[in-house]
Amino acid sequence: MSQIQQFFAGRSIFITGFTGFLGKLVVSKILTSCPDIEFIYILIRKKSYHDVHDRLTRILESKVFSKLKEGNSDFHEKLVPLEGDVREPDLGLNAEDKETLINQTSIVIHLAQVSNCDANLKDALEVNVNGTRYVFELAKQMKQLVSLVHLSSVYSNCNHPTISEMIYQPAYHPNKLLGASEWLSDAVFKDIEGYLMKGFANSFTYTKSLSEFIIQEQFSDLPVSIVRPAIIGSTWHEPFQDWIDSNTGVVPILIASGKGYLRVLKGNPKSTAELIPADCVVNTLIATAWYRTLLVDEMGTSLVRVYNVTNNANRRLTWQFLEQIVCSSFRKNPLNSVIRIPEASMTNNSLVYTVKNGLFHVLPAYGADIINLLLGRSPCYVTTMDKFLKLLNSIQFFTCRDWKIDNSNYKELMSKLSSVDKKMFGIDTSCTHWPTYIEGLCMGVKQHVVQESLSDLPAARVSINR
């Protein structure tokens, strides 16, 4: 057994955010590579007409668990679903489940988050800040806790030109914002969002920064690791190549490119696109859980270790190169029902962008809706275009900027892995071949996000080449 396998053997884990993209991958990887774990307790919200056991059964039908089923059909016996919600005190757990977690859990991996770039600030505060507080308050009561891993984002401090592996002081204390969100109306709070989030990309990055501060201020006595991945893409190797089922991050832009909607993007063509394979992030979450126990031995528990998980490939990936490969990939393997051949350019010139945006995005939408009206159909393209432009505005925060990101702790973690663990829980992305990876990412988006069958490819290729 490797060092990481030995660490997990015989221990029980509590995971939030299991139903999300990363959550499923983390559980699949632990069950595959650490089969001697005791139990994985997973927090699941009850939904209408589906209790947590029904939801677990449905989620385990996901393709991400297919290889696991082939090797171990009884793997589900190690999964214990608990009904709850991170937005509630004690996570909404009943007394019995809470007591089980307090007495049995050794490792906590907190993945639950609101990651939508257009989420309103109130919702993001409720889950990303208050939810984190509730998880950590429960963790503080756990009698066997040895490691607590919190998922954040490398852009949680995007208001700083240099992002170090440290926790930054926010302009406004999170408690004051949470208090204001409770007594201010939704409309009033919405009006002041822009002022509060000045310098941040969106509510996700802003509230992730606040949650980190809460951890540092209130829970630094716990054995905490904060993992800050860059933009998460599809899997590179595990459980199989090109898996992605999340429609967040860079995925909406990929779909817009593949459909032919995107023709021009504002940004610095030479800016770095910090893209990281999902399985690398999963392995980092698992490895930091193990490594944190070594730091406890060396330095005691009063240390919150931060890891900026960025790509260290030999060739830096720029936004322009990313867009070129995406368009090339979708011309080779098209999406169904494209409106134009995928082709997009990038410019940092505001005037050029404004002109091209009007010519290639706005005018065609109005023209199409005029034709719809003349034909007696309902207009829809302008509404779609408005949503599309909102998406462009959100991604342009990243394409127009470059950050200096320190990842010394991440590199240290790489160096501490044994040769066996480096193969089993690989986090080194230096050999990433970007054209191959991005083409696979596009195929993953086509199959698992847009949910188009590869059997449709011949017809799609004929259609796009007409």
Side-chain angles (χ1 to χ4, degrees):
M1 289 174 62
S2 75
Q3 289 177 305
I4 292 179
Q5 286 178 315
Q6 288 175 1
F7 167 71
F8 279 93
R11 285 184 162 134
S12 290
I13 311 163
F14 175 51
I15 295 179
T16 69
F18 163 68
T19 58
F21 171 50
L22 275 185
K24 293 192 288 287
L25 287 172
V26 168
V27 169
S28 173
K29 176 62 177 178
I30 292 175
L31 289 172
T32 301
S33 299
C34 303
D36 293 327
I37 58 160
E38 189 70 19
F39 293 109
I40 299 180
Y41 298 103
I42 48 181
L43 190 71
I44 303 180
R45 276 192 299 158
K46 180 181 178 181
K47 289 195 172 182
S48 301
Y49 308 111
H50 298 295
D51 65 18
V52 294
H53 294 278
D54 289 336
R55 289 198 69 195
L56 175 60
T57 300
R58 288 168 177 266
I59 292 167
L60 294 182
E61 293 172 358
S62 168
K63 187 179 177 182
V64 77
F65 296 103
S66 58
K67 285 190 176 181
L68 187 59
K69 290 177 182 176
E70 293 171 6
N72 179 13
S73 59
D74 297 327
F75 73 92
H76 62 277
E77 294 179 1
K78 290 184 179 284
L79 298 177
V80 182
L82 305 177
E83 183 179 326
D85 191 330
V86 296
R87 296 173 297 182
E88 300 178 18
D90 290 333
L91 309 183
L93 296 164
N94 62 44
E96 182 181 352
D97 288 345
K98 178 185 173 182
E99 196 65 23
T100 297
L101 289 179
I102 289 173
N103 292 325
Q104 303 298 326
T105 303
S106 300
I107 303 158
V108 176
I109 302 179
H110 176 40
L111 307 176
Q113 60 184 16
V114 170
S115 57
N116 296 357
C117 64
D118 58 349
N120 69 65
L121 182 55
K122 266 195 173 185
D123 290 342
L125 281 169
E126 187 178 26
V127 175
N128 295 347
V129 182
N130 232 14
T132 296
R133 191 203 307 270
Y134 290 145
V135 170
F136 276 64
E137 285 175 347
L138 180 62
K140 207 162 190 174
Q141 302 173 57
M142 293 176 179
K143 299 174 181 178
Q144 301 185 50
L145 184 70
V146 296
S147 190
L148 198 170
V149 183
H150 171 71
L151 177 68
S152 188
S153 167
V154 78
Y155 295 110
S156 60
N157 297 286
C158 58
N159 58 325
H160 297 274
T162 299
I163 302 175
S164 301
E165 291 173 313
M166 59 174 282
I167 295 173
Y168 293 81
Q169 176 89 27
Y172 307 100
H173 197 283
N175 288 343
K176 292 183 178 179
L177 293 172
L178 288 168
S181 70
E182 290 178 1
W183 62 267
L184 285 175
S185 68
D186 291 347
V188 172
F189 203 74
K190 182 73 175 176
D191 287 340
I192 63 173
E193 279 187 8
Y195 176 78
L196 296 173
M197 299 190 299
K198 186 177 180 180
F200 286 87
N202 47 47
S203 61
F204 168 66
T205 57
Y206 180 56
T207 53
K208 279 298 181 180
S209 175
L210 298 178
S211 67
E212 289 185 3
F213 180 76
I214 287 283
I215 292 169
Q216 174 75 12
E217 184 183 58
Q218 300 180 18
F219 304 102
S220 61
D221 58 327
L222 297 178
V224 180
S225 303
I226 296 177
V227 176
R228 293 178 180 160
I231 301 170
I232 303 173
S234 59
T235 55
W236 186 219
H237 298 295
E238 297 181 288
F240 46 84
Q241 286 187 336
D242 312 334
W243 168 258
I244 185 168
D245 69 351
S246 171
N247 194 20
T248 59
V250 75
V251 171
I253 287 294
L254 300 189
I255 296 173
S257 297
K259 288 288 188 180
Y261 290 116
L262 180 63
R263 311 309 278 180
V264 61
L265 184 63
K266 190 172 189 293
N268 182 351
K270 296 182 180 180
S271 288
T272 303
E274 291 287 357
L275 191 63
I276 193 84
D279 41 348
C280 174
V281 178
V282 168
N283 288 336
T284 303
L285 290 163
I286 294 170
T288 54
W290 157 76
Y291 189 49
R292 185 61 184 81
T293 60
L294 303 187
L295 296 177
V296 169
D297 293 339
E298 294 176 5
M299 305 178 186
T301 59
S302 185
L303 169 70
V304 176
R305 180 59 68 98
V306 179
Y307 300 87
N308 287 337
V309 185
T310 56
N311 207 299
N312 61 329
N314 293 323
R315 179 178 179 182
R316 186 173 65 93
L317 176 65
T318 65
W319 282 105
Q320 184 176 52
F321 185 66
L322 171 64
E323 186 58 34
Q324 288 172 349
I325 298 300
V326 167
C327 290
S328 173
S329 299
F330 279 127
R331 288 195 296 269
K332 186 190 302 182
N333 300 301
L335 297 176
N336 299 343
S337 306
V338 300
I339 63 166
R340 293 179 288 199
I341 294 175
E343 188 68 57
S345 62
M346 177 173 280
T347 178
N348 208 23
N349 186 299
S350 296
L351 178 60
V352 172
Y353 171 74
T354 300
V355 172
K356 287 189 173 182
N357 181 54
L359 289 174
F360 299 135
H361 296 154
V362 179
L363 286 179
Y366 277 95
D369 271 351
I370 289 172
I371 293 172
N372 274 341
L373 288 170
L374 293 174
L375 295 175
R377 301 171 184 165
S378 298
C380 61
Y381 288 101
V382 171
T383 301
T384 302
M385 183 267 298
D386 287 340
K387 294 178 182 177
F388 172 65
L389 292 182
K390 186 177 181 180
L391 170 65
L392 285 187
N393 288 334
S394 68
I395 196 70
Q396 284 166 11
F397 183 93
F398 302 98
T399 58
C400 292
R401 291 169 172 80
D402 244 332
W403 289 267
K404 183 179 179 182
I405 303 174
D406 174 40
N407 63 353
S408 302
N409 290 343
Y410 181 44
K411 290 178 179 178
E412 177 187 315
L413 177 64
M414 286 186 211
S415 69
K416 296 296 183 179
L417 295 179
S418 68
S419 57
V420 175
D421 280 330
K422 283 180 179 178
K423 291 180 180 178
M424 192 173 298
F425 302 95
I427 62 175
D428 185 359
T429 58
S430 60
C431 295
T432 305
H433 183 251
W434 286 123
T436 303
Y437 176 73
I438 295 168
E439 185 170 327
L441 169 60
C442 293
M443 287 295 286
V445 168
K446 176 180 174 66
Q447 293 180 79
H448 309 303
V449 180
V450 184
Q451 297 186 334
E452 295 179 356
S453 172
L454 294 186
S455 62
D456 297 334
L457 268 177
R461 287 172 180 149
V462 170
S463 177
I464 202 173
N465 290 316
R466 283 176 180 171

